[in-house]
Amino acid sequence: MAPRVLWMCLSVLKSIPVLFITSVIVWSYYAYVFQMCLFSVNNIAEKVIYIVIYHPLLAMMMWSYWKTIFTPVMSPPKEFLLPGSVLEQLQQDVNQINRRAILMQFGKTLPTQCRTLTGEMRYCEKCKAIKPDRAHHCSVCGRCVLKMDHHCPWVNNCVGFSNYKFFVLFIGYALMYCIYVALSSLKYFIQFWSARDSSSHMGNLHIVFLFFAAVMFAISLLSLFGYHCFLITRNRTTLESVQVPVFTTGPEKDGFDLGFRKNFAYLFGSDRRFWFLPTATSFGNGLTYPNRNDDESKDLLLGRHQQWSEEGEGEDFV
């Protein structure tokens, strides 16, 4: 009973950042649409323009946000899990050289090209599995995550292969949302401070706080979005920018960098119509990745790498 209660309490605590962000967005909607557009803007045409531009931005931001939250992260399939016999052999043998040989023998048929700094197979002690390339164990989620970028408390989810595109779109649309709200409310923010009547309608305080909140969030999001745009151009994750991936040939910081166009296409897909929609269009299966040393004629990006789609979410991943 106690562990279950503890688990429920932790789940509630982990949901607080999401509830906070959602509450801020709901309040900003009230402050912008009602207090500013309907009650403060006198020109009808100006009201319509503000509201017509505002709602698509809000819709795209919320769509991307909820897709980031509710898209399940993908973990290594059962082929990467050590079978009982191999696991028992590994646990009984305390010799590090023998353990390394056991893992190398099991993993030689798996499509991995990344290793530890000592050249061993990347093995997760908690999941009892060989880690696919670019996969890492998340201590918060308690599982290995394919192409893990980071665990984000603001979405209460890991950001990885299955939802990284949605995360990037979310922070991009959130930045556009904040900039638009700040610029369109600036005029009424200035009017509030320059008003001679100190008993100005209290509703205008919402506009003041809305402007300050939009500016502060925009500044924070600008640096975050800019950083992830840089990572996309290098086909690099946040974890890989801290810990350089090690290939069979040695460490290489830009080992997965295929050039800007291919890096962009690898994340957003080849169909321009869906680049900026939070739909699954990324190439690959989350397990194998082309690297810059691949022969051009064997480029996996358009060859063996299949495009991951929402219809494939039900594959047998653990």
Side-chain angles (χ1 to χ4, degrees):
M1 183 65 180
R4 182 175 178 81
V5 173
L6 179 61
W7 179 83
M8 292 176 64
C9 292
L10 289 175
S11 298
V12 171
L13 287 175
K14 288 191 291 186
S15 300
I16 289 177
V18 173
L19 294 175
F20 171 75
I21 293 295
T22 304
S23 300
V24 170
I25 294 173
V26 171
W27 166 77
S28 70
Y29 183 88
Y30 167 76
Y32 188 87
V33 174
F34 290 92
Q35 290 296 338
M36 196 189 92
C37 292
L38 297 183
F39 300 152
S40 299
V41 179
N42 296 320
N43 187 285
I44 300 297
E46 190 176 352
K47 287 179 189 280
V48 172
I49 292 173
Y50 283 162
I51 292 176
V52 166
I53 297 176
Y54 173 83
H55 281 90
L57 277 177
L58 175 66
M60 294 303 298
M61 179 181 69
M62 292 305 299
W63 185 9
S64 303
Y65 187 48
W66 292 115
K67 287 284 286 186
T68 307
I69 294 173
F70 293 112
T71 299
V73 294
M74 296 173 67
S75 295
K78 59 184 179 182
E79 289 78 13
F80 285 78
L81 296 177
L82 266 63
S85 58
V86 177
L87 182 60
E88 183 179 359
Q89 184 182 4
L90 185 69
Q91 292 174 337
Q92 290 177 351
D93 201 326
V94 295
N95 187 288
Q96 291 299 318
I97 296 178
N98 292 341
R99 289 171 61 89
R100 175 179 177 178
I102 293 170
L103 292 176
M104 292 294 288
Q105 177 65 25
F106 173 74
K108 68 180 183 180
T109 59
L110 298 175
T112 60
Q113 55 184 328
C114 291
R115 300 290 185 264
T116 65
L117 286 172
T118 56
E120 301 176 22
M121 297 293 297
R122 299 171 64 244
Y123 174 68
C124 179
E125 292 283 355
K126 295 183 178 178
C127 296
K128 311 302 181 187
I130 299 294
K131 295 179 184 177
D133 294 341
R134 314 186 81 175
H136 295 273
H137 185 88
C138 176
S139 58
V140 179
C141 296
R143 61 195 301 190
C144 285
V145 178
L146 298 185
K147 197 187 175 185
M148 180 178 174
D149 187 87
H150 68 288
H151 183 91
C152 181
W154 299 107
V155 300
N156 192 23
N157 198 5
C158 262
V159 177
F161 173 76
S162 59
N163 63 352
Y164 184 61
K165 176 190 174 184
F166 310 148
F167 174 77
V168 172
L169 289 178
F170 163 62
I171 57 177
Y173 283 123
L175 176 61
M176 293 172 60
Y177 177 86
C178 290
I179 291 175
Y180 174 74
V181 168
L183 291 177
S184 56
S185 63
L186 176 61
K187 171 183 175 181
Y188 301 95
F189 170 79
I190 295 174
Q191 284 182 359
F192 174 82
W193 286 109
S194 61
R196 296 179 180 179
D197 184 5
S198 60
S199 62
S200 181
H201 194 277
M202 288 300 294
N204 288 335
L205 287 175
H206 283 283
I207 300 176
V208 173
F209 290 130
L210 178 68
F211 175 79
F212 278 123
V215 170
M216 289 188 295
F217 276 106
I219 293 172
S220 300
L221 288 167
L222 181 62
S223 59
L224 181 63
F225 183 64
Y227 176 65
H228 279 279
C229 285
F230 167 77
L231 293 179
I232 292 170
T233 63
R234 295 292 189 270
N235 196 4
R236 195 186 303 168
T237 65
T238 300
L239 289 176
E240 289 167 353
S241 66
V242 177
Q243 184 178 357
V244 177
V246 180
F247 296 84
T248 53
T249 55
E252 190 169 356
K253 182 171 62 174
D254 294 320
F256 295 108
D257 186 0
L258 307 175
F260 172 74
R261 294 185 64 180
K262 288 184 179 179
N263 293 341
F264 184 89
Y266 202 85
L267 178 63
F268 290 96
S270 57
D271 194 333
R272 298 182 180 182
R273 296 173 299 173
F274 302 107
W275 279 357
F276 304 115
L277 294 179
T279 57
T281 57
S282 300
F283 282 106
N285 55 13
L287 297 173
T288 57
Y289 300 89
N291 64 67
R292 64 190 308 171
N293 297 319
D294 282 340
D295 188 271
E296 192 69 25
S297 63
K298 298 179 181 178
D299 190 351
L300 300 180
L301 183 61
L302 299 177
R304 285 183 287 154
H305 271 231
Q306 297 178 348
Q307 191 170 5
W308 178 74
S309 62
E310 289 178 332
E311 289 76 9
E313 289 180 0
E315 292 179 1
D316 187 19
F317 283 79
V318 296

